[in-house]
């Protein structure tokens, strides 16, 4: 019989691409990973890996095994969820990936409520960009992800992930208070000559912002790039830039910014995703329900 732990290593290689990445993710040395995969090849009696330049490629036989391992891991995850569901007490750990504005606006209330109603639930939260976090949740690094999706920019889908809408928030043009007197800005098109702050290229919000500006007939003068939306706010409030800011960022705080409604009142969608195999986990269900209650209060 094939050794399941070695099969998991093979799947990790298929997911992460290199021995070094597998070793880092599982706290092994690359040589230990290589040795275990060599033993798996002997057990299987067929080549599973071949060199392609400086990288290793899976053979067709290895791909068959990887698909089977995913099914086995799903079965084990469902069994574990059913086991915990048979208990009268909700306890355990849920590991969550979350993007910045959701971490600031939704997580504090969620964690307080969980501590009150489910004291035996431990939440481990890591900040991640949504596209990266969705893949890592599919790869089993996280139990759940809180992700975002901008208009006309769909977040990637991964097999076996269950998505559930959480909330939406309007995206507005944020202007410095001083701009009212210094620049007669009352719409997106009249902000064409002002300096902008946006997230780095590749981010969904950056693509949305650039397309919106181009649709208004101008190329934005992006002088400042940062993924930190709190930095966006400070740059706008201090009079150094304008920005497109989703409403969730303002939760729990006031601002001196002028907020202008955009044509068509575009909204960002915020959703949760978890593996279908773990959907019956009482800990994950408690976290998701508590998070949804917090999001409903915030609306």
């Amino acid at each position: 019989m094939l050794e399941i732990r070695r099969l998991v290593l093979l799947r990790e290689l298929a997911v992460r691409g290199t021995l070094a990445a597998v070793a880092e993710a599982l706290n092994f040395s690359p040589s230990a990973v290589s040795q275990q995969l060599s033993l798996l090849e002997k057990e299987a009696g067929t080549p599973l890996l071949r060199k392609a330049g400086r990288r290793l490629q899976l053979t067709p036989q290895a791909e068959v095994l990887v698909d089977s391992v995913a099914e086995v891991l799903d079965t084990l995850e469902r069994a574990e969820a059913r086991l915990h569901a048979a208990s009268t007490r909700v306890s355990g750990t849920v590991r969550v990936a979350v993007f910045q504005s959701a971490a600031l606006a939704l997580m504090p209330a969620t964690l307080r409520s969980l501590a009150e109603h489910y004291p035996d639930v431990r939440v481990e939260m890591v900040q991640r960009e949504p596209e990266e976090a969705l893949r890592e949740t599919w790869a089993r690094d996280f139990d759940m992800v809180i992700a975002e999706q901008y208009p006309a920019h769909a977040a990637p889908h991964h097999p076996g992930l269950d998505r559930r809408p959480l909330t939406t928030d309007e995206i507005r043009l944020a202007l410095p208070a001083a701009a009212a007197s210094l620049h007669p800005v009352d719409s997106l098109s009249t902000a064409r000559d002002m300096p902008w702050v946006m997230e780095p290229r590749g981010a969904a919000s950056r693509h949305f912002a650039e397309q919106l500006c181009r649709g208004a007939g101008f190329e934005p003068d992006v002088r400042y790039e940062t993924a930190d939306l709190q930095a966006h706010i400070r740059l706008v409030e201090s009079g150094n830039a304008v920005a497109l800011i989703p409403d969730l960022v303002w939760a729990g705080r006031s601002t001196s910014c002028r907020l202008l409604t955009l044509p068509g009142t575009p909204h960002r969608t915020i959703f949760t995703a978890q593996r279908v195999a773990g959907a019956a986990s009482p800990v994950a269900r408690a976290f998701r329900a508590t998070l949804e209650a917090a999001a409903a209060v915030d609306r």
Side-chain angles (χ1 to χ4, degrees), residues 207-289:
H207 179 265
F208 164 77
E210 288 182 333
Q211 291 302 310
L212 197 69
C213 291
R214 289 166 186 167
F218 69 96
E219 191 70 25
D221 177 12
V222 183
R223 299 189 195 178
Y224 316 109
E225 288 190 4
T226 173
D228 185 348
L229 292 186
Q230 297 303 305
H232 289 214
I233 292 172
R234 292 296 297 274
L235 286 168
V236 176
E237 288 179 336
S238 61
N240 290 294
V242 299
L244 295 174
I245 306 283
D247 278 355
L248 192 64
V249 173
W250 309 115
R253 62 163 292 165
S254 59
T255 181
S256 62
C257 294
R258 286 195 302 136
L259 302 176
L260 298 186
T261 297
L262 296 167
T265 59
H267 282 68
R268 175 181 64 167
T269 300
I270 299 164
F271 63 94
T272 57
Q274 72 174 127
R275 290 181 300 282
V276 173
S281 164
V283 174
R285 292 174 68 177
F287 174 80
R288 207 175 203 182

Side-chain angles (χ1 to χ4, degrees), residues 6-18:
R6 292 173 188 145
L7 287 168
V8 170
L9 286 177
L10 183 67
R11 180 184 179 275
E12 289 291 323
L13 181 60
V15 168
R16 303 183 191 279
T18 66

Side-chain angles (χ1 to χ4, degrees), residues 7 9-18 37 41 47-52 55-67:
L7 287 168
L9 286 177
L10 183 67
R11 180 184 179 275
E12 289 291 323
L13 181 60
V15 168
R16 303 183 191 279
T18 66
L37 291 175
E41 279 192 322
L48 300 177
L49 302 171
R50 60 187 174 211
K51 284 194 174 182
R55 297 172 68 92
L56 288 175
Q57 232 177 32
L58 273 65
T59 64
Q61 293 83 355
E63 297 284 359
V64 171
L65 287 178
V66 166
D67 289 342

Side-chain angles (χ1 to χ4, degrees), residues 26-192:
L26 301 182
N27 293 318
F28 287 179
S29 68
S31 61
V33 174
S34 179
Q35 182 183 41
Q36 291 300 308
L37 291 175
S38 294
L39 290 173
L40 180 62
E41 279 192 322
K42 291 180 181 178
E43 290 175 349
T46 185
L48 300 177
L49 302 171
R50 60 187 174 211
K51 284 194 174 182
R54 299 179 64 181
R55 297 172 68 92
L56 288 175
Q57 232 177 32
L58 273 65
T59 64
Q61 293 83 355
E63 297 284 359
V64 171
L65 287 178
V66 166
D67 289 342
S68 298
V69 174
E71 294 174 9
V72 170
L73 292 176
D74 282 346
T75 299
L76 291 174
E77 188 170 8
R78 284 192 293 268
E80 185 177 10
R82 287 197 295 268
L83 175 64
H84 289 304
S87 174
T88 57
R89 187 180 69 177
V90 179
S91 64
T93 298
V94 58
R95 187 163 165 79
V96 182
V98 59
F99 64 97
Q100 186 192 45
S101 55
L104 291 171
L106 301 177
M107 288 302 294
T110 300
L111 294 174
R112 283 197 304 270
S113 183
L114 275 171
E116 180 182 353
H117 296 99
Y118 302 98
D120 296 319
V121 171
R122 172 187 171 92
V123 178
E124 295 179 355
M125 182 183 77
V126 178
Q127 185 175 319
R128 285 284 195 278
E129 290 303 308
E131 294 197 5
E132 176 188 9
L134 284 163
R135 189 175 193 282
E136 289 177 334
T137 302
W138 167 77
R140 301 177 185 274
D141 290 347
F142 298 102
D143 300 306
M144 193 171 300
V145 57
I146 306 172
E148 63 180 352
Q149 184 166 281
Y150 277 77
H153 194 285
H157 285 267
H158 295 282
L161 286 189
D162 166 48
R163 291 191 184 196
R164 186 184 298 178
L166 183 61
T167 189
T168 63
D169 59 344
E170 187 175 343
I171 306 164
R172 305 175 198 262
L173 177 62
L175 300 162
S181 57
L182 297 177
H183 304 280
V185 177
D186 56 6
S187 66
L188 180 65
S189 60
T190 55
R192 67 175 62 237

